[in-house]
Amino acid sequence: MRTLVLNAGYEPLAVVSFKRALVLVMNQKATVVAADETDPVRSETMIWARPSVIILRSYVRIPGRQVPVSRRGVLRRDGQRCGYCGGHATTIDHILPRSRGGRDSWENLVACCLRCNNVKSDRTPAEMGWRLRVQPKAPYGPTWLVRGIERGRPDWDEYLAPIAA
Ligand SMILES: [Zn+2]
């Protein structure tokens, strides 16, 4: 059983053994995001669910790599505030719509509330007469390549999947 380690910004950082993951959690370096309850780890006095996804409590910087863009990452970067109206955001918006060549990039993605997302549809902010509250950019700069991620678990998908519209 392996555990996906997310950096504090939600981007995948590493894959480690569940034992290593438990140590990180017990040392309060990380928090469990998802766990496998079906096959717990037992000691004489304790039972732990095996962590399948954990998130580090503080951000680890490794220079020279690009932060992979992710849906969760965009929402987190923008504090779950809609980039247009400032309301509670649960979706992400392609500023330049994908149908018009907009890319899945940190610069072209912004957290967006459902209402703004529906109203905006396939238009640009300029066409709507809207202004972005902040200029979106890659959150921290450097990040990591993750070894062992290709043979993942189903409950990792949310953190690895490409961005949905
Ligand atoms: Zn909005």
Side-chain angles (χ1 to χ4, degrees):
M1 166 100 188
R2 294 169 309 138
T3 302
L4 175 65
V5 182
L6 302 174
N7 207 346
Y10 277 96
E11 64 276 23
L13 181 59
V15 174
V16 300
S17 70
F18 80 87
K19 287 180 184 170
R20 172 83 181 123
L22 270 182
V23 169
L24 287 168
V25 171
M26 286 180 212
N27 290 339
Q28 312 213 328
K29 305 269 191 221
T31 307
V32 176
V33 175
D36 186 349
E37 309 281 350
T38 60
D39 185 20
V41 189
R42 295 164 193 280
S43 75
E44 304 220 338
T45 52
M46 303 269 285
I47 299 179
W48 296 278
R50 291 175 195 245
S52 74
V53 183
I54 62 172
I55 184 164
L56 296 181
R57 288 174 171 236
S58 52
Y59 201 83
V60 174
R61 291 166 191 271
I62 299 176
R65 296 183 188 173
Q66 276 291 308
V67 180
V69 67
S70 70
R71 184 176 178 283
R72 292 284 293 250
V74 169
L75 287 171
R76 172 144 179 140
R77 177 196 66 187
D78 296 346
Q80 297 218 294
R81 292 274 146 229
C82 176
Y84 302 109
C85 76
H88 181 67
T90 54
T91 68
I92 58 171
D93 176 57
H94 289 76
I95 298 164
L96 177 64
R98 271 213 288 212
S99 60
R100 297 164 64 173
R103 299 180 55 197
D104 288 348
S105 65
W106 288 110
E107 292 76 16
N108 192 47
L109 290 167
V110 68
C112 191
C113 73
L114 260 180
R115 198 170 63 89
C116 288
N117 212 333
N118 287 334
V119 171
K120 179 173 175 283
S121 187
D122 273 354
R123 283 167 293 209
T124 66
E127 287 167 355
M128 299 298 294
W130 290 0
R131 292 190 57 171
L132 282 164
R133 296 166 56 246
V134 287
Q135 194 58 43
K137 42 190 170 199
Y140 311 99
T143 195
W144 313 256
L145 298 170
V146 181
R147 277 182 213 156
I149 220 162
E150 60 286 350
R151 290 173 297 116
R153 296 166 45 86
D155 55 1
W156 293 3
D157 286 352
E158 182 183 351
Y159 305 96
L160 305 178
I163 289 166

